[in-house]
Amino acid sequence: MAQRNLFVLTVIVLVLAYGLCRWLTQGRFGNLLIAIRDDEARVRFSGYNPTSFKTLVFAISGALAGIAGALYTVQSGIVSPQYMAIAFSIEMVIWVAVGGRGTLVGAIIGAVIVNWAGSLLSEQFPEIWLFFQGAMFLFVVTLLPQGLVGWFQEQWATKFRSVLGKPIPVSTYPRLETDPEVARERENLSN
């Protein structure tokens, strides 16, 4: 009963953390974080102080990591120095790579898939299951560089949008021929 309650608490905290991260990455703050990632010097020349934004994001990520560590400790029942090894940091990179870089839901999906596969494979192949995990990472990096979420967005979401008759979003600024504002300006100039 207690284990189930801890699982429910973990899911609630996950949903709240996802909501917080989603709220932070949407809008102007998220755009500023992307601008800092892409060209910090330009952001500094625009009048912003990137250091304060990076400090805030680091503090939020540290708080989320602390909450996650506390929940992991309660659920696993023990935490030893073995859990501070580099392998656990690498495993988190594998979660993001499998799920999809640049997406919040990709990290969640990747964590579920990698941990499920690790649990399944470590029971079946206790001595060599880490090789399977490495192979999964190499497979994703070489064949699905955007992860499962990126692959789904590329392959299926665009087809689904075209079936519905909706325009396919572009990741960069649209060409001038397809920009609706430019088309309106041309129409106004021709009248």
Side-chain angles (χ1 to χ4, degrees):
M1 183 67 169
Q3 196 72 13
R4 186 173 63 91
N5 290 340
L6 285 172
F7 179 77
V8 170
L9 176 66
T10 303
V11 170
I12 291 170
V13 170
L14 173 66
V15 169
L16 291 174
Y18 176 81
L20 172 69
C21 292
R22 184 80 174 169
W23 177 69
L24 285 174
T25 57
Q26 299 299 309
R28 296 179 82 186
F29 187 76
N31 289 338
L32 187 59
L33 293 178
I34 292 170
I36 291 171
R37 179 196 67 195
D38 291 345
D39 194 355
E40 186 175 340
R42 183 176 286 181
V43 172
R44 186 174 287 112
F45 289 131
S46 297
Y48 291 99
N49 183 6
T51 306
S52 60
F53 290 100
K54 289 167 40 176
T55 303
L56 176 65
V57 170
F58 182 76
I60 292 169
S61 67
L64 290 174
I67 292 168
L71 288 171
Y72 181 79
T73 302
V74 172
Q75 286 198 4
S76 67
I78 187 171
V79 172
S80 67
Q82 153 193 353
Y83 291 112
M84 304 244 185
I86 193 73
F88 289 100
S89 297
I90 293 171
E91 189 173 3
M92 290 178 206
V93 171
I94 294 172
W95 296 346
V96 174
V98 169
R101 289 176 287 253
T103 63
L104 296 174
V105 74
I108 296 169
I109 291 171
V112 169
I113 290 173
V114 170
N115 284 326
W116 175 75
S119 176
L120 185 71
L121 292 172
S122 66
E123 290 173 4
Q124 300 293 323
F125 309 101
E127 292 86 24
I128 60 169
W129 74 275
L130 285 173
F131 291 111
F132 288 111
Q133 188 177 27
M136 180 172 47
F137 178 68
L138 289 174
F139 172 78
V140 168
V141 168
T142 55
L143 297 177
L144 301 172
Q146 297 301 318
L148 293 174
V149 172
W151 173 77
F152 177 78
Q153 288 175 341
E154 280 181 14
Q155 298 298 318
W156 299 104
T158 54
K159 291 178 184 176
F160 186 69
R161 290 181 71 85
S162 65
V163 166
L164 293 177
K166 295 187 176 188
I168 298 171
V170 292
S171 60
T172 59
Y173 190 76
R175 296 175 29 158
L176 292 177
E177 294 85 22
T178 60
D179 191 350
E181 289 183 34
V182 172
R184 270 184 265 140
E185 288 178 11
R186 285 183 181 156
E187 192 175 298
N188 288 340
L189 288 174
S190 65
N191 290 336

